[in-house]
Amino acid sequence: MKNKKPIEKAPEYSKTFSTSLDALIRNMADTGRGRKQMVGILADMSMAALCLWLAYTLRHGMLFSDFRSTWHLFVGLPVLTAIIFSGLGVYRWVIRSSNQRLYKQLVKGCLFSSVMLLIAFSLIPPDRTNPRSLFIIYALLLVGGTIGMRMIWKSLFDSDSKGEPVAIYGAGSAGRQLAGLLREGKDYRPVAFIDDDPRLFGTTLSGLPVLAGDDPQLRASLKRMDISSVILAMFSISGTGYQQKLSRLDELGFRVLTMPSVGELMGGKTRADEVRDVSIKDILGRLEVAPDVRLMSRKVTDKTVLVTGGGGSIGSELCRQIMNLSPRRLLILDNCEANLYHITEEFKSLQDKAVAGEFPDFTPVLGSVTDTARIERLFARHSIDTVFHAAAYKHVPIVEAQPDLGLEVNVFGTMTVLDAAIASGVGNFVLISTDKAVRPTNAMGGTKRIAELVLQAKARIQNGTTISMVRFGNVLGSSGSVVPKFKKQIKSGGPITLTHTEITRYFMTIPEAAQLVLQASAIAKGGDVFVLDMGEPVRIEDLATTMVRLYGKRLQRDTGNPDDIEIVVEGLRPGEKMYEELFVTDSCSSTEVSKISTAHEDWMPWAKLQPVLEEMKSMSGVLSAPILKQRIVSLALLEQEAGNTDPASDLLEGEGISNIA
């Protein structure tokens, strides 16, 4: 992961039986692989001879000493047993990685050895009675001896393993897998599970006891095991649940770590055993669903794709996801030279490392979506199949002070790109929208809602381009998110500035948002308003206090220490809402993608919308900022007053278009 907080080096822990045994085990661990195999062969041969002697002793009820007539068995059978084990691959196994697969091979080898004993009795019968039960006793002893010897040997190696003793919160498949992986490493040594399932309390899984998460004596139990850190291993848990467990463990005084998320594991960014400190992304975005790659690639693979605003936070992640889906060519348009440079250098670095011809072509384009001539030339020079329009002004205070620029970029810039796409026969056009477009109270949200209205209207007067829009809330790490702002304030010692203690916002990780946008483009029919499932809204004050704790700081209001972090409430900014919404109306339906819904909302026919836009464009440079903002918001809200509801599905079924009275 990039820019992740480094984990402090864990203290070394070691438990040994004695200094001499510790030295012996360390010498064995450091010796060559061939010598270890030879030791294993000699140990198995000795075990086979011992088990044969014990079988005779147990069967006859007295110490066996008649080696004169059986010496050939005590010499030949151990050799045959070692050969059988070698053929089954037993000696290729590293003792410390012993598991059920190895034990199954040992059982097979012991049965074959018993069969060899039976054959030896038939070919060279000893001068004494040999009951049939002797073979069964020998086989059972050999199974127990060879497996038991390896289990003891493994435990001796583990007893010398160094690593911080940790508990794993979550005894499910992820937790058990993590326990196995940590045992192979040297940094952490799992000694217990913690789980909330009452059916597991008091049981033992993977050799570790399971403790109750709500046990009042949990802290004392963990302290008795010398545990100071707990690793959270729970994929299917909401951000709220994750935060509750984090708070509970933090109150108990334990350091909290986490294993990588589903997205990180699927993206190959990390391994399951690479535990790290909990990040704010873990708390706000844990319930990740594996993306449908088939849907993601439908409008991208082997196609020419244009991403406007391709250097921004959402746009650049869209570009990364698209490049992984093998497009014919990716066009990256951005008006910020620095952003375009960074994404270009990133792709050039990947291109240099890739095999020749395997990295898709990409073309960076410096330009603005408001430059009509340049946009038209771009579409004329390239046979573009799909457009993801992410270019926009999105900072509420900036657009609130200069609504004319928000109107120029967010509305008329969108119209410029859309008209060029329709004129050149582009197959798919997707607008990246925002939850601030729903019942907007500020100029930025108003311009984004008007852009949605433009797409809804244009979708109904042409059939060549499939037009859709995807609406979602804040994304973690974007330039407009409070997360990097809070991070900077905490690192500088505070204060953290809030606009209101009860303000809430939706959050989603950038990679997940980009993946869902790509999937939405694949299921679009025309005129669709897709809304992403953002989970539960988060109180910004809770977010701030959680971030303070994650960075190892404390709040002044809790400690009274003026050196700790202070939270200052400044009041709502102009146009800022206490909470955001995702739907204009309650009418929506699910789609084949679990985290994507389709909103059925009012719209304005192009014949009515066009003259209003033309008038607003001509007056945008004349009207004052407050009056223009009022006009923008009024237009954004007009479709609700008109009551003209016509979902895209109705259009597809040929029910026609209603006009606003």
Side-chain angles (χ1 to χ4, degrees):
M1 291 183 59
K2 295 181 180 178
N3 300 325
K4 70 177 182 182
K5 181 182 176 183
I7 300 178
E8 297 177 4
K9 184 176 179 58
E12 291 192 350
Y13 295 81
S14 178
K15 54 176 184 177
T16 58
F17 297 120
S18 69
T19 305
S20 57
L21 180 58
D22 182 35
L24 174 62
I25 293 172
R26 199 159 37 237
N27 289 335
M28 282 300 303
D30 294 338
T31 192
R33 181 74 189 128
R35 292 183 180 180
K36 291 178 183 177
Q37 289 177 329
M38 183 57 65
V39 170
I41 291 172
L42 293 175
D44 286 332
M45 290 174 64
S46 301
M47 182 60 67
L50 176 62
C51 290
L52 181 59
W53 178 79
L54 283 173
Y56 272 117
T57 297
L58 293 173
R59 180 62 186 84
H60 295 293
M62 63 179 66
L63 292 177
F64 180 75
S65 60
D66 184 13
F67 297 106
R68 182 175 299 177
S69 60
T70 58
W71 66 269
H72 59 285
L73 297 177
F74 283 92
V75 172
L77 188 60
V79 175
L80 288 173
T81 301
I83 293 173
I84 291 169
F85 283 8
S86 179
L88 292 172
V90 169
Y91 299 119
R92 291 197 298 270
W93 228 280
V94 178
I95 295 295
R96 279 174 287 182
S97 65
S98 300
N99 55 27
Q100 290 184 356
R101 291 179 58 194
L102 171 61
Y103 300 150
K104 287 179 180 179
Q105 294 298 92
L106 287 170
V107 171
K108 291 179 185 177
C110 294
L111 293 177
F112 280 129
S113 178
S114 182
V115 171
M116 290 296 103
L117 178 61
L118 178 61
I119 293 174
F121 279 155
S122 301
L123 296 178
I124 314 175
D127 185 18
R128 63 180 296 112
T129 58
N130 296 286
R132 284 175 296 181
S133 58
L134 182 70
F135 312 110
I136 299 175
I137 296 172
Y138 167 75
L140 293 175
L141 289 172
L142 189 60
V143 168
T146 53
I147 293 179
M149 180 172 59
R150 282 166 172 79
M151 293 178 69
I152 293 172
W153 190 242
K154 180 182 178 183
S155 68
L156 289 175
F157 269 115
D158 288 343
S159 72
D160 185 55
S161 63
K162 292 180 175 62
E164 178 186 354
V166 295
I168 297 175
Y169 205 129
S173 57
R176 294 194 299 272
Q177 179 190 12
L178 177 62
L181 292 171
L182 291 180
R183 281 169 170 157
E184 302 299 325
K186 297 181 179 179
D187 295 327
Y188 301 99
R189 175 165 46 86
V191 296
F193 283 116
I194 306 172
D195 204 275
D196 299 323
D197 188 348
R199 296 172 298 179
L200 298 177
F201 299 166
T203 62
T204 299
L205 293 175
S206 301
L208 304 179
V210 181
L211 308 178
D214 58 356
D215 185 358
Q217 301 300 318
L218 178 61
R219 184 178 187 278
S221 299
L222 295 179
K223 287 297 182 182
R224 279 197 300 270
M225 299 178 183
D226 202 24
I227 292 172
S228 59
S229 298
V230 177
I231 303 175
L232 295 175
M234 296 170 288
F235 286 144
S236 56
I237 185 173
S238 66
T240 302
Y242 204 85
Q243 188 167 1
Q244 289 173 348
K245 286 178 172 49
L246 180 66
S247 300
R248 157 91 166 137
L249 294 170
D250 187 60
E251 290 172 1
L252 294 177
F254 293 101
R255 177 188 182 209
V256 184
L257 305 172
T258 188
M259 66 182 297
S261 66
V262 172
E264 291 168 334
L265 294 174
M266 290 196 62
K269 300 176 182 178
T270 185
R271 301 193 313 272
D273 60 334
E274 290 184 351
V275 298
R276 53 173 169 75
D277 284 319
V278 175
S279 69
I280 196 67
K281 184 176 73 172
D282 297 314
I283 298 172
L284 299 178
R286 289 304 298 185
L287 275 178
E288 298 182 14
V289 177
D292 188 334
V293 180
R294 175 185 58 86
L295 284 178
M296 289 174 61
S297 60
R298 183 177 293 175
K299 304 297 183 181
V300 171
T301 300
D302 201 31
K303 298 182 183 297
T304 299
V305 182
L306 167 65
V307 177
T308 68
S313 20
I314 286 293
S316 61
E317 183 60 28
L318 273 171
C319 290
R320 295 183 189 98
Q321 300 280 351
I322 289 168
M323 291 296 275
N324 289 331
L325 297 171
S326 303
R328 183 185 307 118
R329 177 179 292 275
L330 172 62
L331 305 173
I332 309 171
L333 175 68
D334 204 287
N335 70 336
C336 177
E337 182 186 23
N339 286 349
L340 194 63
Y341 171 79
H342 291 315
I343 190 68
T344 301
E345 287 299 298
E346 179 182 331
F347 286 165
K348 281 184 177 179
S349 176
L350 294 174
Q351 190 177 48
D352 293 340
K353 297 175 184 177
V355 178
E358 289 190 359
F359 197 80
D361 291 333
F362 65 94
T363 302
V365 181
L366 183 63
S368 171
V369 294
T370 61
D371 188 340
T372 304
R374 188 167 186 79
I375 293 298
E376 289 177 348
R377 285 198 303 271
L378 179 64
F379 279 90
R381 291 173 181 173
H382 301 276
S383 181
I384 299 173
D385 301 291
T386 302
V387 175
F388 293 97
H389 182 54
Y393 286 149
K394 59 182 180 180
H395 294 277
V396 171
I398 294 177
V399 179
E400 194 73 3
Q402 303 171 92
D404 55 328
L405 294 181
L407 195 67
E408 179 183 359
V409 173
N410 295 355
V411 177
F412 299 115
T414 297
M415 286 178 57
T416 297
V417 180
L418 177 61
D419 289 341
I422 294 172
S424 61
V426 169
N428 304 277
F429 185 98
V430 183
L431 169 70
I432 307 301
S433 191
T434 170
D435 56 356
K436 292 178 175 60
V438 179
R439 284 183 273 274
T441 58
N442 52 68
M444 194 282 284
T447 57
K448 292 298 287 185
R449 179 55 184 149
I450 295 173
E452 291 183 354
L453 290 175
V454 169
L455 265 70
Q456 289 174 298
K458 292 271 188 176
R460 289 163 171 81
I461 61 174
Q462 60 83 45
N463 298 315
T465 302
T466 301
I467 300 172
S468 62
M469 60 220 78
V470 183
R471 183 189 296 158
F472 51 92
N474 296 277
V475 288
L476 295 174
S478 72
S479 58
S481 172
V482 296
V483 173
K485 172 187 172 183
F486 286 169
K487 180 179 178 180
K488 183 178 180 181
Q489 290 175 336
I490 292 169
K491 286 190 171 183
S492 64
I496 293 178
T497 55
L498 296 180
T499 57
H500 198 284
T501 57
E502 297 301 320
I503 197 168
T504 63
R505 290 292 182 266
Y506 290 99
F507 287 94
M508 175 176 280
T509 62
I510 295 178
E512 185 180 16
Q515 291 166 0
L516 289 172
V517 167
L518 291 170
Q519 292 176 82
S521 70
I523 60 177
K525 298 177 181 177
D528 312 81
V529 180
F530 293 116
V531 181
L532 304 188
D533 179 4
M534 302 290 296
E536 295 297 322
V538 177
R539 285 181 72 244
I540 300 301
E541 185 181 24
D542 291 342
L543 173 63
T545 56
T546 299
M547 289 187 66
V548 169
R549 187 170 64 247
L550 288 180
Y551 282 95
K553 307 291 185 180
R554 291 291 181 266
L555 293 171
Q556 279 190 23
R557 67 189 186 194
D558 296 333
T559 65
N561 187 344
D563 293 331
D564 288 332
I565 304 295
E566 181 184 8
I567 292 182
V568 177
V569 180
E570 297 180 330
L572 293 175
R573 297 173 299 183
E576 187 174 25
K577 297 169 70 174
M578 285 289 294
Y579 62 92
E580 300 291 357
E581 304 168 273
L582 293 169
F583 296 91
V584 174
T585 68
D586 294 331
S587 178
C588 63
S589 58
S590 59
T591 68
E592 60 186 280
V593 182
S594 61
K595 283 201 169 187
I596 301 177
S597 299
T598 302
H600 305 305
E601 299 177 351
D602 298 340
W603 56 278
M604 182 183 291
W606 182 245
K608 295 290 184 181
L609 181 60
Q610 184 181 21
V612 178
L613 290 176
E614 289 178 351
E615 179 185 5
M616 189 173 289
K617 186 175 185 179
S618 64
M619 297 296 293
S620 64
V622 178
L623 298 176
S624 65
I627 294 177
L628 181 58
K629 176 238 176 153
Q630 184 180 3
R631 293 278 185 95
I632 290 172
V633 173
S634 296
L635 176 57
L637 298 172
L638 183 61
E639 78 281 8
Q640 298 172 37
E641 300 170 4
N644 182 32
T645 302
D646 186 12
S649 58
D650 295 341
L651 176 68
L652 295 172
E653 293 170 4
E655 294 188 5
I657 301 175
S658 303
N659 289 328
I660 291 182

